[in-house]
Amino acid sequence: MVLLLPILLALLASVLGGLYMLGMFRKRRPNEPPLDKGTIPWLGYALDFRKNTAGFLRKMQKKHGDIFTIQIGGYYYTFVTDPLSFGPIVREARARLDFEKFAMELVARVFGYHSGTNDHKLLEKASTKHLMGDGLVLMTQAMMDNLQNLMLHGVGSVDREKKWQQDGLFNYSYNIVFRAGYLALFGNEPIKSHGNSEKAKKHDRDHSEELFGEFRKYDKLFPRLAYAVLPPKDKLEAERLKRLFWNMLSIKKTLQKENISGWITDQFQDRADNGMPEYMQDRFMLLLLWASQGNTGPASFWLLLYLMKHPEAMKAVSEEVDRVLKENGQEVKPGGAQINLTRDMLLKTPVLDSVVEETLRLTAAPVLIRAVKENLNLKISSGKEYAIRKGDRVAIFPYTAVQMDPEVHPEPEKFKYNRFLNEDGTKKSEFFKNGKRLKYFTMPWGAGTTICPGRFFAVNELKQFVFLMLSYFEFELVNPKEEIPDIDPNRWGFGTMQPTHDVQFKYRLRY
């Protein structure tokens, strides 16, 4: 009995410690947000959150108000759902609210990449230089060249002229925009390797098609991979795909190409200078591919679909496209030179800009998460302060909090192509909540220090794709009466949403 007592005490301590780790004993303290741990130890609301993030958070907001803390997979997340209160979270110093810790855990699990010091700063540096401002001039031209190769290589050929082709709109849009963006960033096949430019371009088309096919397999696994809930068979497939991409996108192979973007080469050099081994750089290339191309393709699908389902929007954008081309002395005609869209031309499209922003308002749904690195008080718009614990996480889900808020955006479920236009045709940026002007009225790119650094390049990708589709192709839905598909609930929180199913359309070159 004497020997048994220490064993029983140790067992009891172990059980109590386990229950503590599972969150069984956590209680709401004074001045903390409402606490809802759910009914399942440790998991909390993980299953509900993953099943339907938007519906679940609406339910929690109705139950608890504009701020509440919930347990998800062993972590406590404080969600803030009042857009007037986003400012303190977005502006808070990284020493107190940090994005990188959460991001590092995610990219290690999903891409096998373990980030080094100053990783985010190096990404910001390269993106500011090459994906914004004057750097965007070169990237816009690179995207243009590759879109022309993928979309217009059959212009004037007897085989393709005036023949209708049918495809899924999601597959077609994602395919073209992904491949062109990949080639613009990661470079083209050297002409000298094939003897002439046409053979090199053919290789780019074939290689990027193969890459896209494998990427879609990986993309379909991505949500469950991120949540670490893949079954064994899919885990093996995810590992196979990751190793395939590490090889296809390896530094050694990438540096053999021509026209590699400075965005890629600068980041490679900076990390090499910081001592990152080449095998980890290869893994970083997969992260860059997904970060740069995983959302623009799906966005291009929604953009074209909304245009086809709303004739008044299609008419307004088509007229703007024609105007911009004429103002720059360009015209699409049989035997004529291919149009060339520059960054400056794409700055003169307020109607298309509004269409893009409205599309993203309806379909972009990232979850913005910050790790709480020290105890802090969070003041919301009502003036009340809430105590947030070190070790917890603070989160914003703009889709339900502001993008679908009927007070901010009347009839939020409807697509209104001119929602972001003033009556005089200029960009609209004044939206209100409770009579107060909002700074954050739509947040498809995130906000603050973690706002997507490639957003200007991504928007240009979408606009160039639409320009070429409207200028060179006739296209229509196979079934014009088909309803717009629902959003796939498995994709909540990862950026631009994807549809539950594809929509068939047909298209043909005009000339």
Side-chain angles (χ1 to χ4, degrees), residues 463-501:
K463 291 164 71 172
Q464 286 173 296
F465 174 63
V466 169
F467 255 84
L468 291 182
M469 286 298 297
L470 292 176
S471 300
Y472 282 95
F473 294 88
E474 297 175 271
F475 57 96
E476 58 190 51
L477 295 173
V478 171
N479 178 10
K481 295 183 179 180
E482 182 176 359
E483 295 291 330
I484 292 175
D486 292 331
I487 283 173
D488 180 357
N490 293 316
R491 308 293 305 202
W492 289 118
F494 297 109
T496 305
M497 300 297 290
Q498 297 188 12
T500 52
H501 62 272

Short mmCIF file of all heavy atoms in Angstrom, two decimals, residues 463-501:
data_model
loop_
_atom_site.label_atom_id
_atom_site.label_comp_id
_atom_site.label_asym_id
_atom_site.label_seq_id
_atom_site.Cartn_x
_atom_site.Cartn_y
_atom_site.Cartn_z
N LYS A 463 -7.21 41.03 -64.62
CA LYS A 463 -7.66 42.01 -65.60
C LYS A 463 -7.13 41.70 -67.00
O LYS A 463 -7.85 41.83 -68.00
CB LYS A 463 -7.25 43.42 -65.15
CG LYS A 463 -8.02 43.87 -63.91
CD LYS A 463 -7.39 45.05 -63.21
CE LYS A 463 -7.52 46.32 -63.99
NZ LYS A 463 -7.06 47.49 -63.21
N GLN A 464 -5.88 41.25 -67.08
CA GLN A 464 -5.33 40.89 -68.38
C GLN A 464 -6.08 39.70 -68.98
O GLN A 464 -6.36 39.67 -70.18
CB GLN A 464 -3.84 40.56 -68.25
CG GLN A 464 -2.96 41.78 -68.04
CD GLN A 464 -1.52 41.39 -67.75
OE1 GLN A 464 -1.23 40.76 -66.73
NE2 GLN A 464 -0.60 41.76 -68.63
N PHE A 465 -6.39 38.73 -68.15
CA PHE A 465 -7.14 37.56 -68.60
C PHE A 465 -8.50 37.98 -69.16
O PHE A 465 -8.91 37.54 -70.24
CB PHE A 465 -7.30 36.58 -67.44
CG PHE A 465 -8.16 35.39 -67.74
CD1 PHE A 465 -7.80 34.47 -68.72
CD2 PHE A 465 -9.34 35.18 -67.03
CE1 PHE A 465 -8.60 33.36 -68.98
CE2 PHE A 465 -10.14 34.08 -67.28
CZ PHE A 465 -9.77 33.16 -68.26
N VAL A 466 -9.21 38.84 -68.43
CA VAL A 466 -10.53 39.30 -68.88
C VAL A 466 -10.41 40.11 -70.17
O VAL A 466 -11.22 39.95 -71.10
CB VAL A 466 -11.21 40.12 -67.78
CG1 VAL A 466 -12.44 40.84 -68.32
CG2 VAL A 466 -11.59 39.23 -66.61
N PHE A 467 -9.40 40.98 -70.26
CA PHE A 467 -9.18 41.76 -71.48
C PHE A 467 -9.05 40.85 -72.69
O PHE A 467 -9.67 41.08 -73.73
CB PHE A 467 -7.90 42.60 -71.33
CG PHE A 467 -8.15 44.07 -71.09
CD1 PHE A 467 -8.39 44.54 -69.80
CD2 PHE A 467 -8.12 44.97 -72.13
CE1 PHE A 467 -8.59 45.89 -69.57
CE2 PHE A 467 -8.33 46.33 -71.91
CZ PHE A 467 -8.57 46.79 -70.62
N LEU A 468 -8.22 39.83 -72.57
CA LEU A 468 -7.99 38.94 -73.72
C LEU A 468 -9.23 38.11 -74.04
O LEU A 468 -9.53 37.89 -75.22
CB LEU A 468 -6.80 38.02 -73.43
CG LEU A 468 -5.43 38.70 -73.37
CD1 LEU A 468 -4.33 37.68 -73.13
CD2 LEU A 468 -5.13 39.48 -74.65
N MET A 469 -9.94 37.66 -73.04
CA MET A 469 -11.17 36.90 -73.29
C MET A 469 -12.19 37.74 -74.03
O MET A 469 -12.79 37.29 -75.02
CB MET A 469 -11.76 36.39 -71.97
CG MET A 469 -11.01 35.24 -71.34
SD MET A 469 -10.94 33.73 -72.34
CE MET A 469 -12.69 33.29 -72.46
N LEU A 470 -12.40 38.97 -73.59
CA LEU A 470 -13.39 39.84 -74.21
C LEU A 470 -12.95 40.31 -75.59
O LEU A 470 -13.79 40.54 -76.48
CB LEU A 470 -13.66 41.05 -73.33
CG LEU A 470 -14.38 40.76 -72.00
CD1 LEU A 470 -14.51 42.03 -71.17
CD2 LEU A 470 -15.76 40.17 -72.26
N SER A 471 -11.65 40.45 -75.80
CA SER A 471 -11.15 40.98 -77.06
C SER A 471 -11.03 39.92 -78.15
O SER A 471 -11.29 40.21 -79.33
CB SER A 471 -9.78 41.63 -76.85
OG SER A 471 -9.85 42.69 -75.92
N TYR A 472 -10.68 38.71 -77.79
CA TYR A 472 -10.36 37.69 -78.80
C TYR A 472 -11.36 36.55 -78.90
O TYR A 472 -11.32 35.79 -79.87
CB TYR A 472 -8.98 37.09 -78.49
CG TYR A 472 -7.83 37.96 -78.90
CD1 TYR A 472 -7.24 38.82 -77.98
CD2 TYR A 472 -7.33 37.95 -80.21
CE1 TYR A 472 -6.19 39.64 -78.35
CE2 TYR A 472 -6.28 38.77 -80.58
CZ TYR A 472 -5.71 39.61 -79.64
OH TYR A 472 -4.66 40.43 -80.03
N PHE A 473 -12.24 36.43 -77.93
CA PHE A 473 -13.11 35.25 -77.90
C PHE A 473 -14.59 35.61 -77.83
O PHE A 473 -14.97 36.63 -77.26
CB PHE A 473 -12.78 34.36 -76.70
CG PHE A 473 -11.42 33.73 -76.74
CD1 PHE A 473 -10.32 34.40 -76.22
CD2 PHE A 473 -11.23 32.48 -77.31
CE1 PHE A 473 -9.06 33.84 -76.25
CE2 PHE A 473 -9.97 31.89 -77.35
CZ PHE A 473 -8.87 32.58 -76.82
N GLU A 474 -15.37 34.75 -78.43
CA GLU A 474 -16.80 34.69 -78.15
C GLU A 474 -16.96 33.57 -77.13
O GLU A 474 -16.39 32.49 -77.30
CB GLU A 474 -17.60 34.36 -79.40
CG GLU A 474 -17.48 35.40 -80.51
CD GLU A 474 -18.21 34.93 -81.77
OE1 GLU A 474 -17.58 34.25 -82.60
OE2 GLU A 474 -19.42 35.24 -81.90
N PHE A 475 -17.74 33.79 -76.09
CA PHE A 475 -17.93 32.74 -75.11
C PHE A 475 -19.28 32.90 -74.42
O PHE A 475 -19.80 34.02 -74.29
CB PHE A 475 -16.79 32.73 -74.07
CG PHE A 475 -16.58 34.02 -73.34
CD1 PHE A 475 -17.14 34.23 -72.09
CD2 PHE A 475 -15.80 35.04 -73.89
CE1 PHE A 475 -16.94 35.42 -71.40
CE2 PHE A 475 -15.59 36.23 -73.21
CZ PHE A 475 -16.15 36.42 -71.96
N GLU A 476 -19.86 31.80 -74.02
CA GLU A 476 -21.16 31.80 -73.38
C GLU A 476 -21.35 30.52 -72.59
O GLU A 476 -20.67 29.51 -72.83
CB GLU A 476 -22.27 31.93 -74.42
CG GLU A 476 -22.26 30.82 -75.46
CD GLU A 476 -23.20 31.08 -76.62
OE1 GLU A 476 -23.13 32.18 -77.20
OE2 GLU A 476 -23.99 30.16 -76.93
N LEU A 477 -22.26 30.54 -71.64
CA LEU A 477 -22.57 29.35 -70.86
C LEU A 477 -23.33 28.35 -71.73
O LEU A 477 -24.19 28.74 -72.53
CB LEU A 477 -23.41 29.72 -69.64
CG LEU A 477 -22.73 30.61 -68.60
CD1 LEU A 477 -23.73 31.02 -67.52
CD2 LEU A 477 -21.54 29.90 -67.96
N VAL A 478 -23.03 27.08 -71.56
CA VAL A 478 -23.76 26.05 -72.30
C VAL A 478 -25.22 26.07 -71.88
O VAL A 478 -26.13 25.93 -72.71
CB VAL A 478 -23.13 24.66 -72.04
CG1 VAL A 478 -24.01 23.55 -72.61
CG2 VAL A 478 -21.73 24.60 -72.65
N ASN A 479 -25.48 26.26 -70.60
CA ASN A 479 -26.83 26.38 -70.08
C ASN A 479 -26.97 27.74 -69.38
O ASN A 479 -26.64 27.87 -68.20
CB ASN A 479 -27.15 25.26 -69.10
CG ASN A 479 -28.54 25.38 -68.49
OD1 ASN A 479 -29.36 26.20 -68.93
ND2 ASN A 479 -28.82 24.58 -67.47
N PRO A 480 -27.42 28.78 -70.11
CA PRO A 480 -27.48 30.13 -69.54
C PRO A 480 -28.35 30.22 -68.28
O PRO A 480 -28.17 31.14 -67.47
CB PRO A 480 -28.09 30.96 -70.68
CG PRO A 480 -27.82 30.17 -71.92
CD PRO A 480 -27.88 28.74 -71.51
N LYS A 481 -29.27 29.27 -68.10
CA LYS A 481 -30.17 29.32 -66.95
C LYS A 481 -29.59 28.61 -65.72
O LYS A 481 -30.20 28.64 -64.65
CB LYS A 481 -31.52 28.71 -67.31
CG LYS A 481 -32.28 29.50 -68.37
CD LYS A 481 -33.64 28.88 -68.63
CE LYS A 481 -34.41 29.69 -69.69
NZ LYS A 481 -35.76 29.09 -69.96
N GLU A 482 -28.44 27.99 -65.87
CA GLU A 482 -27.84 27.29 -64.74
C GLU A 482 -27.49 28.26 -63.62
O GLU A 482 -26.92 29.33 -63.86
CB GLU A 482 -26.58 26.54 -65.19
CG GLU A 482 -25.92 25.73 -64.09
CD GLU A 482 -24.73 24.92 -64.58
OE1 GLU A 482 -24.42 24.98 -65.79
OE2 GLU A 482 -24.10 24.25 -63.74
N GLU A 483 -27.82 27.87 -62.41
CA GLU A 483 -27.56 28.72 -61.26
C GLU A 483 -26.06 28.78 -60.95
O GLU A 483 -25.30 27.85 -61.24
CB GLU A 483 -28.28 28.17 -60.02
CG GLU A 483 -29.80 28.20 -60.11
CD GLU A 483 -30.36 29.62 -60.08
OE1 GLU A 483 -29.72 30.48 -59.44
OE2 GLU A 483 -31.41 29.86 -60.70
N ILE A 484 -25.65 29.91 -60.37
CA ILE A 484 -24.27 30.03 -59.91
C ILE A 484 -24.05 29.01 -58.81
O ILE A 484 -24.84 28.93 -57.86
CB ILE A 484 -23.99 31.46 -59.40
CG1 ILE A 484 -24.04 32.44 -60.58
CG2 ILE A 484 -22.64 31.54 -58.70
CD1 ILE A 484 -23.90 33.89 -60.17
N PRO A 485 -23.01 28.18 -58.90
CA PRO A 485 -22.81 27.13 -57.89
C PRO A 485 -22.52 27.70 -56.52
O PRO A 485 -22.03 28.83 -56.38
CB PRO A 485 -21.62 26.33 -58.43
CG PRO A 485 -20.91 27.27 -59.35
CD PRO A 485 -21.97 28.15 -59.94
N ASP A 486 -22.81 26.90 -55.51
CA ASP A 486 -22.51 27.30 -54.14
C ASP A 486 -21.00 27.27 -53.90
O ASP A 486 -20.24 26.64 -54.65
CB ASP A 486 -23.19 26.35 -53.15
CG ASP A 486 -24.70 26.49 -53.16
OD1 ASP A 486 -25.19 27.60 -53.46
OD2 ASP A 486 -25.38 25.48 -52.88
N ILE A 487 -20.60 27.93 -52.84
CA ILE A 487 -19.21 27.90 -52.39
C ILE A 487 -18.94 26.57 -51.69
O ILE A 487 -19.76 26.10 -50.90
CB ILE A 487 -18.94 29.09 -51.45
CG1 ILE A 487 -18.79 30.39 -52.26
CG2 ILE A 487 -17.74 28.86 -50.58
CD1 ILE A 487 -18.70 31.64 -51.41
N ASP A 488 -17.80 25.98 -51.98
CA ASP A 488 -17.39 24.74 -51.33
C ASP A 488 -17.02 25.04 -49.88
O ASP A 488 -16.03 25.73 -49.62
CB ASP A 488 -16.20 24.13 -52.07
CG ASP A 488 -15.71 22.83 -51.45
OD1 ASP A 488 -16.26 22.42 -50.41
OD2 ASP A 488 -14.77 22.23 -52.01
N PRO A 489 -17.78 24.53 -48.91
CA PRO A 489 -17.51 24.89 -47.50
C PRO A 489 -16.17 24.38 -46.99
O PRO A 489 -15.67 24.86 -45.97
CB PRO A 489 -18.68 24.24 -46.74
CG PRO A 489 -19.15 23.13 -47.64
CD PRO A 489 -18.94 23.64 -49.04
N ASN A 490 -15.56 23.42 -47.68
CA ASN A 490 -14.26 22.90 -47.25
C ASN A 490 -13.13 23.90 -47.45
O ASN A 490 -12.03 23.71 -46.93
CB ASN A 490 -13.93 21.61 -48.01
CG ASN A 490 -14.84 20.47 -47.64
OD1 ASN A 490 -15.13 20.25 -46.47
ND2 ASN A 490 -15.33 19.75 -48.64
N ARG A 491 -13.39 24.96 -48.24
CA ARG A 491 -12.32 25.91 -48.57
C ARG A 491 -12.34 27.16 -47.70
O ARG A 491 -11.48 28.03 -47.88
CB ARG A 491 -12.41 26.34 -50.04
CG ARG A 491 -12.50 25.23 -51.06
CD ARG A 491 -11.26 24.39 -51.19
NE ARG A 491 -10.06 25.14 -51.47
CZ ARG A 491 -8.98 24.60 -52.03
NH1 ARG A 491 -8.97 23.31 -52.36
NH2 ARG A 491 -7.90 25.32 -52.24
N TRP A 492 -13.29 27.28 -46.78
CA TRP A 492 -13.34 28.48 -45.94
C TRP A 492 -11.99 28.73 -45.27
O TRP A 492 -11.36 27.82 -44.77
CB TRP A 492 -14.39 28.34 -44.84
CG TRP A 492 -15.82 28.37 -45.25
CD1 TRP A 492 -16.74 27.37 -45.08
CD2 TRP A 492 -16.54 29.44 -45.86
NE1 TRP A 492 -17.97 27.74 -45.57
CE2 TRP A 492 -17.88 29.02 -46.05
CE3 TRP A 492 -16.18 30.72 -46.29
CZ2 TRP A 492 -18.86 29.82 -46.63
CZ3 TRP A 492 -17.16 31.52 -46.87
CH2 TRP A 492 -18.47 31.08 -47.03
N GLY A 493 -11.58 30.00 -45.30
CA GLY A 493 -10.41 30.41 -44.54
C GLY A 493 -9.10 30.42 -45.29
O GLY A 493 -8.09 30.88 -44.77
N PHE A 494 -9.11 29.91 -46.54
CA PHE A 494 -7.84 29.78 -47.27
C PHE A 494 -7.71 30.74 -48.45
O PHE A 494 -6.89 30.52 -49.34
CB PHE A 494 -7.67 28.33 -47.75
CG PHE A 494 -7.57 27.35 -46.63
CD1 PHE A 494 -8.60 26.46 -46.36
CD2 PHE A 494 -6.46 27.32 -45.79
CE1 PHE A 494 -8.52 25.56 -45.31
CE2 PHE A 494 -6.37 26.44 -44.73
CZ PHE A 494 -7.41 25.55 -44.50
N GLY A 495 -8.51 31.80 -48.48
CA GLY A 495 -8.39 32.77 -49.57
C GLY A 495 -9.62 32.74 -50.45
O GLY A 495 -10.75 32.72 -49.97
N THR A 496 -9.41 32.75 -51.77
CA THR A 496 -10.54 32.73 -52.70
C THR A 496 -11.21 31.36 -52.67
O THR A 496 -10.56 30.33 -52.76
CB THR A 496 -10.06 33.02 -54.13
OG1 THR A 496 -9.36 34.26 -54.16
CG2 THR A 496 -11.25 33.11 -55.09
N MET A 497 -12.51 31.38 -52.53
CA MET A 497 -13.27 30.14 -52.43
C MET A 497 -13.37 29.45 -53.79
O MET A 497 -13.14 30.06 -54.84
CB MET A 497 -14.66 30.43 -51.89
CG MET A 497 -14.64 31.06 -50.51
SD MET A 497 -13.92 30.01 -49.25
CE MET A 497 -15.18 28.74 -49.13
N GLN A 498 -13.73 28.17 -53.75
CA GLN A 498 -13.93 27.40 -54.97
C GLN A 498 -15.37 26.92 -55.02
O GLN A 498 -16.03 26.80 -53.98
CB GLN A 498 -12.94 26.24 -55.03
CG GLN A 498 -11.49 26.69 -55.10
CD GLN A 498 -10.50 25.57 -55.34
OE1 GLN A 498 -10.88 24.44 -55.69
NE2 GLN A 498 -9.21 25.86 -55.15
N PRO A 499 -15.89 26.62 -56.21
CA PRO A 499 -17.29 26.19 -56.32
C PRO A 499 -17.46 24.72 -55.96
O PRO A 499 -16.51 23.94 -56.01
CB PRO A 499 -17.60 26.43 -57.81
CG PRO A 499 -16.28 26.19 -58.49
CD PRO A 499 -15.24 26.74 -57.53
N THR A 500 -18.69 24.35 -55.62
CA THR A 500 -18.97 22.95 -55.33
C THR A 500 -18.90 22.09 -56.59
O THR A 500 -18.66 20.89 -56.52
CB THR A 500 -20.37 22.80 -54.71
OG1 THR A 500 -21.33 23.47 -55.57
CG2 THR A 500 -20.43 23.42 -53.32
N HIS A 501 -19.12 22.71 -57.74
CA HIS A 501 -19.02 22.00 -59.02
C HIS A 501 -18.71 22.99 -60.12
O HIS A 501 -18.87 24.20 -59.96
CB HIS A 501 -20.32 21.24 -59.33
CG HIS A 501 -21.51 22.15 -59.47
ND1 HIS A 501 -22.28 22.52 -58.37
CD2 HIS A 501 -22.07 22.77 -60.55
CE1 HIS A 501 -23.27 23.30 -58.78
NE2 HIS A 501 -23.15 23.49 -60.09
#
